[in-house]
Amino acid sequence: MDEFSTPKPVADSAPGTPLMRQYAAIKKEHPNALLFFRLGDFYELFFEDAVVAAKELQITLTSRNKEKGIAVPMCGVPYHAAEGYIAKLIKKGYKVAICDQMEDPRLAKKLVKRAVTRVVTPGTAADASLSSDENNFLAAVARLDSGKLGASVAGFAVLDLSFGYYIEISKANQQLAPPDYAIPLVENHFGVLSLEGFGLAGRPAAAAAAGAILHYVRSTQRGALEHVDRIGFYERQNCLVLDAVTVRNLELVEPLFAGSGDAVTLFRAIDHSLTPMGKRLLRAWMLRPSIEPAEINARLDAVEEQVRATVEREELRRALDGVLDIERLLSRITLETANPRDLLALAASLARLPGIREALGRFKSVRLRSLLALVDDLADLRARIENTLVEEPPLTLADGGVIRSAIDVELDELRTLSRSSKQYLAQIEERERQRTGIASLKVKFNSIFGYYIEISKANQQLAPPDYERKQTLVNAERFTTPELKQYEAKILDAQEKIVEIERRLFAELRAAIAGEAKRIRQTALAVAQVDVLAGLAYLAANNNYCRPKFVEGGEIEIREGRHPVVERPELTGSNDRFVPNDLYLNATSDTILVLTGPNMGGKSTYLRQAALILILAQMGSFVPAREARLSVVDRIFTRIGASDNLARGRSTFMVEMTETAAILNTATPNSLILLDEVGRGTATYDGLAIAWAAIEYIHARTRAKTLFATHYHELTELADQLSGVKNYHVSVKEGAGGIVFLRKVEPGAADRSYGIEVAKLAGLPPEVIARAREVLAEHESAEHRLTSELASDELQPSSVQLTMFTPLSQKIVEQLREADLDRLTPLEALNLLHALKQQVK
């Protein structure tokens, strides 16, 4: 018997007891994991594990063996609710080793055998409590080095226990040999002689990383991983690249500012998927849009057909509604952690497939027809599940009652015997009452003491000699008889066999489903894509989106474009009417658009909506515009806002410059760059110089299509100097009460920034506003005088900060350029320096 199946002194849990020695041995094998140690109906944690778990889970920390002075910290959670507690610990970054009882405690002669059956880590969690719209990736990096200078290559692999794919991030020196175990391990898992068919030929680092992940998962999970049945290889340049800064700045999946829980992201705005698989696929398409025109247009064809066919689209969406997370249910099945309710949830989802196939069959587009061919209705698996399991099974197999009747002859016979026990016990009770004359005599059963006869204290002298005392209570005595002992053994043996048979039948059913993992996964992937395309069609039809047209030549032309989030008051809570705007960029005459205007005028919204429209288009979605003619872009870069990163010793300006440097060094002519207020983090003239130089560099070197929002009005002069630069501004209307933001983007430069007017709207005190106007007037007057003097070269002695943008600075540069510095004598050099100095006094 298990030591906690019957009441025992607390000293039995003291260090040095068989139980604690068993615990210590198992814990030694998993020192870095919190050990969930199964004791009866609870998972218990001891020592430091208990202290950590009690704090993180907010449960009571108790202790054992207090009376002997060696308190053992202890806490526990019910085993039937353990998954929720484990999920909380995993989300906090902990590893959990689950130690189960490997035999029935009632049959154990001494200590119950226990072993770790699964190690759950943040990367291997496949529980239903995980977010349904996000993947849970486990990653591995492999670096191969031959020892020669430069002869190294890195591979990166990721696996979600719902599906897996592998990525190599370097292609140099592919001749390097991977570790001996790597390629055979991957080949054996997928049952192939070569990895060439998966695109891994000549990519040893990727194969090594893939092998490392498979080895790790097999060492922590007890399942066979049948559902990991493919490798999807890709490199970053195979999709539209969105780096972490851009994903953050565009608020694709998370709000830009922490704590803004009500802020709406692009994903939330466009997500009309009805299945968890669809939500994950939509997220993947959004974060990795395609750069292949054929793939993009295949998706757009499917969306367009559904936009036009409203009735058929909604019938398809109704069929999809109710499909649960087939991928994660399958992962639990192959990992052997699925319970009976998981299998019935899978069956309920499979029951939706015939309706999905019927609705999908009404469409003619190539993509939807191909998806129809991939959706298997899996009728055989659904029938086997429904015919094997009862409609409402218990959560676990411990007490039986999971398998239907007429599945196993022996099981049915044992159940008949077990069901007849109540009637048999009632007969014994009536007979013993007559025999002893004790009308209150009762025959009972509990899981600790088994079957017994209970007689009140007042009648205990009437107990027959053949009654054997079993337990003394305050008001009663409990007895047993040879007959009850024999019947108890028979019934308990029957119940044990019932549970054993049900476990075997359930394991066979689960294994049969796992054996069809490839069919199930293929269907789940197809259903996910159907769901996404139908959701995008619903989005387009209900929000007046248009189909984007992709053209050659590098043009981006958007007519009456809108921001997919800001334009929808039901998402933002704003009642302001959204003002659509046009955008035109090309690879020659309109490469860089310099946008000026006041804060709050809509510059940042204009920049972001351009990027979001391109992302939507290249993921296969219609876009919020009246018309959109686009070229495929390979990367989208953003430099919008910045904040200190004090933990890494970087100021706001340093963060800004680092992000700008990354853009200038990696953008291509096929990229889109969004730059908002570059240079504002430092002194005015320094910032202006950097912004000016950045535009010149993009125009001359990068040639990327660029939207550059700025308050530096001096930058508008570049439109006269550089052929690819155009000036635009967001318009405002001035009135007696202040300014009104029209949020209309129009050609030409803004005449002023309206900063003081915006400050007034923000509520600055009137005296501050009045003084600001005076200071501004003085500076504008001084700037006007300086400009006039510089233009006429009639400089008066003054303290002037020269910049690269003034005539004087350009004159000095020319004088230095004309001087032959290699032949100047020291005296001539000093004279030249003196002359230059005199010019700026």
Side-chain angles (χ1 to χ4, degrees), residues 447-507:
S447 58
I448 296 177
F449 293 101
Y451 291 94
Y452 57 86
I453 297 173
E454 186 171 285
I455 300 176
S456 64
K457 285 284 190 179
N459 295 312
Q460 64 178 338
Q461 72 279 3
L462 300 177
D466 59 334
Y467 279 20
E468 300 176 19
R469 194 179 304 276
K470 195 166 190 177
Q471 185 185 25
T472 299
L473 303 178
V474 176
N475 298 317
E477 292 287 337
R478 291 176 175 176
F479 301 88
T480 187
T481 66
E483 180 185 18
L484 275 180
K485 287 181 179 180
Q486 183 179 4
Y487 190 76
E488 177 181 331
K490 183 178 180 181
I491 292 298
L492 290 180
D493 184 58
Q495 186 61 33
E496 176 194 334
K497 288 183 178 179
I498 287 173
V499 173
E500 179 183 336
I501 292 172
E502 291 206 16
R503 288 183 185 275
R504 174 176 57 80
L505 294 174
F506 180 77

Side-chain angles (χ1 to χ4, degrees), residues 641-666:
S643 59
D644 288 337
N645 191 337
L646 300 181
R648 296 181 63 182
R650 302 198 303 176
S651 67
T652 298
F653 183 64
M654 185 61 180
V655 172
E656 177 185 338
M657 290 298 98
T658 301
E659 293 177 0
T660 304
I663 294 172
L664 298 182
N665 289 323
T666 56

Side-chain angles (χ1 to χ4, degrees), residues 611-627:
L612 297 181
I613 286 174
L614 279 165
I615 290 171
L616 286 171
Q618 289 189 219
M619 63 183 279
S621 171
F622 280 29
V623 299
R626 182 169 65 85
E627 183 182 355

Side-chain angles (χ1 to χ4, degrees), residues 205-282:
I213 283 189
L214 289 175
H215 176 75
Y216 180 82
V217 172
R218 285 182 176 177
S219 68
T220 58
Q221 313 295 311
R222 66 183 181 184
L225 303 179
E226 287 96 339
H227 67 298
V228 181
D229 57 8
R230 70 186 182 108
I231 302 176
F233 176 84
Y234 83 94
E235 294 173 307
R236 293 190 72 185
Q237 59 264 34
N238 294 336
C239 64
L240 194 168
V241 178
L242 301 169
D243 58 27
V245 173
T246 298
V247 170
R248 183 190 71 233
N249 285 338
L250 295 179
E251 298 184 290
L252 298 185
V253 291
E254 294 180 356
L256 186 57
F257 299 104
S260 53
D262 295 333
V264 182
T265 63
L266 178 66
F267 178 75
R268 179 180 165 190
I270 68 172
D271 177 27
H272 292 284
S273 304
L274 298 167
T275 71
M277 301 93 68
K279 292 180 183 296
R280 289 195 295 273
L281 182 61
L282 176 68

